[in-house]
């Protein structure tokens, strides 16, 4: 089975990118990261990619007059890499419908909450403020709805009485680094697909919250 060609989009430190790089290098993922693209030239994830010998591209959104113009160029750049899978790893941009449609069924995102709870930003503090017993992370297929595509895997983290947003985020990140490479591995083994509005794993439809990895 040929290795999957993976394109990763980042905006920041790239810790999830690093986790995926490590699993690709160890052979746990039957895939090759062919390009890492960032909308920010100072993203540390670019350094991580370069240290691993992976090609990088910077495509700054500040160089474009509209979201549509930026995403049109981004789609061309991604397409030129002939990807089997596009991984959003802390890419802090809301994607236009045209871009999402172009890569539908082969674009993944990770979100720091137990979706459908807390779409958007500041999820850790929102979970604490709501007195939730658990918080966590979700890996999902990307659709036009922000953080709303079919969930594949979730990992729960207990919220402790003394937790701050920072301490909770640290434990959630640890789980992200486990479940994101796992989902990429499944995709690279052709065990994971997306139907109209749900994910399918080993030919079985997954429930709305995906696989519970807790």
């Amino acid at each position: 089975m040929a290795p999957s060609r993976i394109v990763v989009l980042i905006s920041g430190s790239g810790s999830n990118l690093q986790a995926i790089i490590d699993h690709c290098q160890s052979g746990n993922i039957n895939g090759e990261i062919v390009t890492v693209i960032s909308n920010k030239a100072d993203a540390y994830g670019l350094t991580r990619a370069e240290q691993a010998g992976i090609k990088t591209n910077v495509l700054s959104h500040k160089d474009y007059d509209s979201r549509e113009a930026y995403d049109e160029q981004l789609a061309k750049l991604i397409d030129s890499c002939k990807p089997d899978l596009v991984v959003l790893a802390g890419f802090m941009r809301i994607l236009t419908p045209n871009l999402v449609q172009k890569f539908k069924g082969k674009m993944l995102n990770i979100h720091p909450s137990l979706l459908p709870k807390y779409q958007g930003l500041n999820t850790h503090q929102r979970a604490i403020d709501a007195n939730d017993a658990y918080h966590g992370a979700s890996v999902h297929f990307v659709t036009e709805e922000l953080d709303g595509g079919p969930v594949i895997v979730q990992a729960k983290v207990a919220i402790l009485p003394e937790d701050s947003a920072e301490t909770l985020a640290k434990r959630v990140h640890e789980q992200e680094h486990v479940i994101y490479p796992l989902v990429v591995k499944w995709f690279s083994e052709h065990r994971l697909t997306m139907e109209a509005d749900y994910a399918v794993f080993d030919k079985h439809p997954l429930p709305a919250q995906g696989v519970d990895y807790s």
Side-chain angles (χ1 to χ4, degrees):
M1 192 182 299
S4 293
R5 295 176 58 84
I6 303 167
V7 172
V8 183
L9 275 56
I10 62 168
S11 296
S13 70
S15 64
N16 275 308
L17 165 65
Q18 186 66 60
I20 295 168
I21 289 173
D22 292 346
H23 281 262
C24 287
Q25 290 181 336
S26 71
N28 187 46
I29 291 174
N30 182 32
E32 176 192 3
I33 301 174
V34 292
T35 305
V36 172
I37 302 170
S38 176
N39 64 315
K40 295 184 177 181
D42 61 351
Y44 183 67
L46 294 170
T47 301
R48 295 180 189 271
E50 289 161 3
Q51 289 173 344
I54 298 168
K55 182 181 176 183
T56 61
N57 281 279
V58 176
L59 189 69
S60 175
H61 56 279
K62 295 180 180 178
D63 296 338
Y64 295 84
D65 294 333
S66 68
R67 190 179 300 278
E68 288 75 17
Y70 177 79
D71 277 11
E72 182 179 350
Q73 190 58 41
L74 178 59
K76 289 179 181 177
L77 179 56
I78 296 170
D79 216 21
S80 71
C81 302
K82 298 180 172 57
D84 300 300
L85 177 64
V86 181
V87 174
L88 308 183
F91 188 61
M92 302 304 289
R93 299 275 302 166
I94 296 174
L95 304 178
T96 55
N98 283 349
L99 179 63
V100 171
Q101 279 291 334
K102 185 172 182 64
F103 300 105
K104 196 166 187 176
K106 59 179 183 179
M107 182 179 279
L108 300 174
N109 184 45
I110 191 161
H111 183 71
S113 80
L114 299 174
L115 292 171
K117 281 190 169 184
Y118 312 127
Q119 297 168 327
L121 302 175
N122 305 316
T123 62
H124 310 299
Q125 191 61 54
R126 288 160 69 190
I128 291 171
D129 291 346
N131 294 314
D132 288 352
Y134 292 94
H135 187 42
S138 307
V139 181
H140 64 95
F141 282 108
V142 176
T143 62
E144 291 89 337
E145 181 187 352
L146 177 65
D147 302 325
V151 174
I152 302 159
V153 174
Q154 291 187 330
K156 293 178 182 175
V157 172
I159 299 177
L160 307 177
E162 66 272 18
D163 263 331
S164 65
E166 290 74 23
T167 60
L168 182 55
K170 183 178 180 181
R171 296 204 308 285
V172 171
H173 284 152
E174 290 171 356
Q175 293 302 311
E176 289 181 13
H177 301 159
V178 174
I179 64 174
Y180 214 178
L182 177 65
V183 172
V184 174
K185 172 182 170 66
W186 288 349
F187 192 95
S188 72
E189 294 169 347
H190 304 288
R191 300 172 66 191
L192 178 67
T193 58
M194 175 182 156
E195 298 302 330
D197 57 356
Y198 58 92
V200 177
F201 178 60
D202 284 346
K203 300 182 180 179
H204 295 288
L206 293 178
Q209 278 72 47
V211 175
D212 184 350
Y213 194 77
S214 306

